[in-house]
Amino acid sequence: MAEVELRRISKMYGGQKVVNEVSARILPGEFFVLVGPSGCGKSTTLRMIAGLEEISTGELLIGGKPMNQVPPSGRNISMVFQNYALYPHLTVKDNILFGLQVRKVDKAEQGKRLERVAEMLGIAHLLQRKPKELSGGQRQRVALGRAIVSQHPICLMDEPLSNLDAKLRGHMRTEIRRLQQELGITMIYVTHDQVEAMTMADRMMVLRDGEVQQVGKPLDVYNHPANLFVAEFTGAPPMNTVPAIWRAGDQAGIEVAGQHFLPLPMFHGSKDQTPVVLGLRPESLQPALEGQSVDASCQFPVTVQGVEILGSETIVEFTVGDKLWKAKWNGQWHCKRGETMHVHFDPAQVNVFDGETGKNLAVTTN
Amino acid sequence: MGELRAKWKVNMYAWLLLLPSLIFLLLFTFYPVIQTFILSFHQADLGSPEPFFNGIDNYKQMVEDEVFWKVLTNNIWFAIGTVPTSVALALGMALFANKALRGKSFIRTAYFYPTVVPMIAVANIWLFIYTPEYGALSHVMEWFGKGDMNWLGDQKNVMWAMIFMVIWKEAGYFMIFYLAGLQNISQELYESASMEGASSWTVFRRITFPLLMPTTMFVSIIAFTNSFKLVDHLVIMTKGGPDNASNLLLYYIYETAFSFWDQGMASALTIVMVVLLLLVAAFQFFGMDKKIHYN
């Protein structure tokens, strides 16, 4: 069983807590992504799981067994490092076989596994080369090969794609995902790139300053961000937000920048005049075309500040309150700067966050 | 024509850029070597007012000279005694100083300190250590009932005493190179190895040592040339004695040139030494270089 369980795991450096009581249960065969901005403690968490970093408090269980005191090699884990950690003086073949040689695996078995891995990753023709004779993508494959050849049920990856160019990164994303599914490995993957998290993960954990912000399936996290931080971290461009005020009374709703009033019947409990933050995804804001019948309260005029036409989609910028918002529209929209347009949105896609704590007022989980 | 001119111009720049170092090389390296080479075929001692050509007489005499063979053998033993040990010790000290959690800078300073002491001072310190009866070493040996050993006065012991002192003097210097080498090895490599459960010996043998090979190569060449170059201590401690038991090639050259005033013979000896050093350096560079991984 390759289940990994983190029970209130913390890491202290001196007096500073860099990881604060992180808990998670990662199921066998799951692709679990730790995501967050740099310095959020995601790599430290991963290194604690690997055993490269001591766990200050909390408990780590792998396959139900406590692992806090077990050295890295006893945890049944393989790891892919950010800079691949290939031995520069060894050939690709020796790099891949290093672990097996150390563990004195039978020679014939070594050969068999090497052949399979080389074929799986398409690196059979590179086996006699040294790492410096390889391209970035090839090195990445060798590092993957080294992790796979050990046949450990759990694999950890620490930002493995950050050294590759954008195109190759997209390619490797699918490849890593494919390998993980084919081999049925439990994968714990660290990245700062929310796109990687969204596209690869079965479940993702968003971290900030060592604290868990949200754990869940990528789409759940995207559609129902637990707080303002998660909302602004996910999505490209991220969620648009603007400070607003909650108005209770006969007609409850939100007042934005003292001008626009949006009736929202679904929130309860908030007092009149509570400061809140209104959030809307860029793709939730669509152009209101003439002749289209939309509720007037879900529509507002904007002055275009900037336009980015990306071919298949167009990003239109405008200000709401004192914030710059972006809307993402399909197709090519030739808007001009200074032009006034009407945009509308579906009230069901509105997110409202607490003005002080940043908590999503609609999400009642956790 | 234009092309030729352009080419000439580029070459001209190259030569101009090389000029400063070229001047010094010619003046202080190639010219003296050539002069020495020429002089080694001349008789130039106190008995000959003008040096005159005598063919390979100097070399013939040298081959028949017992002292030369003794000095050469001494020097080879001196090299064998100092090079591998000081290099190995330096590596060990670097590994320790790199790992040490407490007193890192104290350990480094302590190891490096013999290097900053001038060889003349070192010789004087060790002269006292080796002094029979009231020397520091004799006091220690007294506990074992062997306080009467004459370290520098005994033909059997003197070479060991010298080798030991030079290792003490040099290891700290070589350690610095190893420390730099160690810091160039990515920590990720060690972490990766620890994920595989490699023992520290395996890690050293398969990762650290091979990746330090360029340093080892460099350090052993320095150590080897030093074993021929370092003779300051002889002046203070033994003057090559007793009965040339501690004499080394360079000190013998010095004696031949400036005590016996036989410039021709000294030149011939110098040529032998230069050729010897060149051969070893060539072997190290061309023979071993291929097996070394450079980043």
Side-chain angles (χ1 to χ4, degrees), chain A residues 17-160:
Chain A
K17 217 168 201 178
V18 292
V19 174
N20 192 7
E21 305 213 337
V22 170
S23 297
R25 191 164 177 180
I26 299 147
L27 303 172
E30 191 174 26
F31 200 116
F32 193 82
V33 175
L34 299 172
V35 66
S38 49
C40 73
K42 54 193 191 302
S43 282
T44 312
T45 307
L46 191 78
R47 290 167 61 82
M48 286 195 284
I49 298 172
L52 297 170
E53 210 77 62
E54 216 176 305
I55 297 169
S56 302
T57 60
E59 216 180 341
L60 171 73
L61 300 162
I62 295 176
K65 290 190 197 103
M67 285 288 157
N68 286 37
Q69 303 306 324
V70 178
S73 56
R75 297 187 181 195
N76 242 346
I77 303 180
S78 55
M79 182 158 174
V80 176
F81 292 85
Q82 185 171 5
N83 299 313
Y84 316 138
L86 298 179
Y87 304 118
H89 59 296
L90 298 181
T91 58
V92 167
K93 180 182 159 193
D94 284 332
N95 261 295
I96 293 176
L97 291 180
F98 185 85
L100 301 186
Q101 289 165 353
V102 165
R103 265 177 274 124
K104 302 208 167 62
V105 173
D106 177 54
K107 275 266 159 64
E109 171 72 12
Q110 283 186 19
K112 241 189 275 170
R113 287 204 209 170
L114 175 70
E115 203 178 314
R116 228 188 101 214
V117 166
E119 195 195 338
M120 209 182 258
L121 293 163
I123 50 172
H125 59 297
L126 304 172
L127 290 179
Q128 297 310 321
R129 294 212 198 152
K130 296 261 177 81
K132 70 171 168 191
E133 297 161 325
L134 303 178
S135 70
Q138 289 169 333
R139 283 181 207 181
Q140 171 73 73
R141 275 163 206 278
V142 176
L144 282 177
R146 200 166 58 172
I148 292 168
V149 83
S150 66
Q151 299 189 345
H152 289 315
I154 302 165
C155 182
L156 311 180
M157 293 198 177
D158 188 1
E159 307 224 14

Side-chain angles (χ1 to χ4, degrees), chain B residues 93-112:
Chain B
M93 291 185 338
L95 288 172
F96 181 71
N98 204 37
K99 276 267 162 63
L101 294 174
R102 279 153 194 270
K104 214 172 202 172
S105 48
F106 172 77
I107 291 170
R108 288 183 190 189
T109 315
Y111 284 165
F112 190 64

Side-chain angles (χ1 to χ4, degrees), chain B residues 31-292:
Chain B
Y31 176 72
V33 168
I34 291 164
Q35 274 302 316
T36 309
F37 185 69
I38 294 168
L39 197 62
S40 75
F41 296 104
H42 287 73
Q43 179 144 354
D45 52 13
L46 285 180
S48 28
E50 279 294 313
F52 62 89
F53 184 76
N54 68 349
I56 55 166
D57 273 7
N58 285 330
Y59 292 93
K60 265 193 199 157
Q61 261 183 53
M62 193 196 301
V63 176
E64 286 158 16
D65 179 9
E66 270 177 45
V67 179
F68 165 72
W69 287 113
K70 174 142 197 187
V71 165
L72 192 63
T73 332
N74 277 349
N75 218 145
I76 288 166
W77 280 115
F78 187 65
I80 293 173
T82 55
V83 177
T85 29
S86 60
V87 171
L89 192 64
L91 177 56
M93 291 185 338
L95 288 172
F96 181 71
N98 204 37
K99 276 267 162 63
L101 294 174
R102 279 153 194 270
K104 214 172 202 172
S105 48
F106 172 77
I107 291 170
R108 288 183 190 189
T109 315
Y111 284 165
F112 190 64
Y113 140 81
T115 307
V116 292
V117 182
M119 196 63 203
I120 298 294
V122 168
N124 277 304
I125 295 167
W126 283 82
L127 191 60
F128 165 71
I129 291 175
Y130 285 141
T131 308
E133 291 182 46
Y134 58 88
L137 186 58
S138 296
H139 280 298
V140 177
M141 293 305 279
E142 230 165 70
W143 299 337
F144 303 98
K146 292 211 168 203
D148 56 344
M149 285 182 81
N150 187 351
W151 293 97
L152 299 179
D154 189 324
Q155 290 198 37
K156 281 195 204 106
N157 294 336
V158 67
M159 203 46 150
W160 292 111
M162 294 294 172
I163 288 172
F164 192 86
M165 179 190 73
V166 168
I167 292 171
W168 174 85
K169 162 91 175 141
E170 293 210 298
Y173 181 54
F174 300 149
M175 176 196 71
I176 295 295
F177 295 102
Y178 273 122
L179 272 178
L182 281 173
Q183 265 145 32
N184 266 335
I185 301 177
S186 157
Q187 208 53 38
E188 268 192 357
L189 297 184
Y190 292 118
E191 289 178 348
S192 173
S194 83
M195 296 291 300
E196 310 284 8
S199 66
S200 26
W201 168 242
T202 310
V203 170
F204 175 76
R205 191 174 54 91
R206 297 213 48 194
I207 301 169
T208 313
F209 189 68
L211 288 176
L212 282 176
M213 266 319 265
T215 314
T216 305
M217 169 85 172
F218 174 74
V219 163
S220 26
I221 289 180
I222 303 259
F224 184 79
T225 42
N226 271 0
S227 72
F228 278 84
K229 201 176 78 180
L230 217 61
V231 293
D232 319 18
H233 58 284
L234 292 180
V235 181
I236 303 290
M237 296 174 85
T238 62
K239 304 247 189 278
D243 190 19
N244 288 315
S246 67
N247 207 351
L248 298 175
L249 191 51
L250 188 61
Y251 189 68
Y252 185 55
I253 293 172
Y254 166 78
E255 277 188 317
T256 311
F258 302 109
S259 300
F260 317 145
W261 293 103
D262 190 345
Q263 306 269 350
M265 180 57 110
S267 298
L269 285 166
T270 306
I271 292 301
V272 168
M273 187 167 104
V274 168
V275 168
L276 206 73
L277 290 179
L278 277 179
L279 279 178
V280 173
F283 166 74
Q284 282 177 316
F285 256 118
F286 300 114
M288 312 215 331
D289 213 33
K290 287 192 191 99
K291 292 181 194 141
I292 293 178

Side-chain angles (χ1 to χ4, degrees), chain A residues 20-315:
Chain A
N20 192 7
E21 305 213 337
V22 170
S23 297
R25 191 164 177 180
I26 299 147
L27 303 172
E30 191 174 26
F31 200 116
F32 193 82
V33 175
L34 299 172
V35 66
S38 49
C40 73
K42 54 193 191 302
S43 282
T44 312
T45 307
L46 191 78
R47 290 167 61 82
M48 286 195 284
I49 298 172
L52 297 170
E53 210 77 62
E54 216 176 305
I55 297 169
S56 302
T57 60
E59 216 180 341
L60 171 73
L61 300 162
I62 295 176
K65 290 190 197 103
M67 285 288 157
N68 286 37
Q69 303 306 324
V70 178
S73 56
R75 297 187 181 195
N76 242 346
I77 303 180
S78 55
M79 182 158 174
V80 176
F81 292 85
Q82 185 171 5
N83 299 313
Y84 316 138
L86 298 179
Y87 304 118
H89 59 296
L90 298 181
T91 58
V92 167
K93 180 182 159 193
D94 284 332
N95 261 295
I96 293 176
L97 291 180
F98 185 85
L100 301 186
Q101 289 165 353
V102 165
R103 265 177 274 124
K104 302 208 167 62
V105 173
D106 177 54
K107 275 266 159 64
E109 171 72 12
Q110 283 186 19
K112 241 189 275 170
R113 287 204 209 170
L114 175 70
E115 203 178 314
R116 228 188 101 214
V117 166
E119 195 195 338
M120 209 182 258
L121 293 163
I123 50 172
H125 59 297
L126 304 172
L127 290 179
Q128 297 310 321
R129 294 212 198 152
K130 296 261 177 81
K132 70 171 168 191
E133 297 161 325
L134 303 178
S135 70
Q138 289 169 333
R139 283 181 207 181
Q140 171 73 73
R141 275 163 206 278
V142 176
L144 282 177
R146 200 166 58 172
I148 292 168
V149 83
S150 66
Q151 299 189 345
H152 289 315
I154 302 165
C155 182
L156 311 180
M157 293 198 177
D158 188 1
E159 307 224 14
L161 304 183
S162 57
N163 287 337
L164 303 180
D165 63 69
K167 200 174 164 191
L168 201 51
R169 209 179 300 162
H171 180 74
M172 289 309 289
R173 258 191 338 235
T174 28
E175 188 151 356
I176 290 175
R177 184 71 171 132
R178 175 182 65 81
L179 277 172
Q180 181 263 337
Q181 281 171 336
E182 258 174 41
L183 300 167
I185 314 173
T186 308
M187 178 77 82
I188 306 175
Y189 187 103
V190 160
T191 181
H192 65 268
D193 182 355
Q194 54 92 22
V195 178
E196 274 175 33
M198 293 296 298
T199 52
M200 298 170 88
D202 287 322
R203 279 194 305 150
M204 62 197 264
M205 175 192 269
V206 185
L207 286 160
R208 180 203 192 184
D209 296 337
E211 311 240 6
V212 179
Q213 303 293 307
Q214 191 171 8
V215 183
K217 290 186 179 141
L219 282 185
D220 289 343
V221 172
Y222 186 82
N223 293 332
H224 310 290
N227 56 38
L228 200 54
F229 172 78
V230 177
E232 289 181 327
F233 185 74
T234 51
M239 186 182 278
N240 299 306
T241 58
V242 67
I245 285 168
W246 176 258
R247 293 243 182 266
D250 293 346
Q251 220 201 358
I254 282 173
E255 193 183 290
V256 180
Q259 328 160 344
H260 192 80
F261 185 75
L262 169 65
L264 285 171
M266 63 268 203
F267 300 103
H268 302 289
S270 291
K271 285 181 193 141
D272 193 28
Q273 301 288 352
T274 313
V276 292
V277 175
L278 174 80
L280 264 170
R281 291 270 175 212
E283 63 275 15
S284 303
L285 291 159
Q286 290 298 324
L289 302 175
E290 274 174 57
Q292 218 173 11
S293 63
V294 222
D295 186 351
S297 66
C298 293
Q299 184 176 340
F300 57 98
V302 295
T303 309
V304 176
Q305 301 267 316
V307 185
E308 285 174 39
I309 304 178
L310 303 172
S312 66
E313 61 197 27
T314 305
I315 292 177

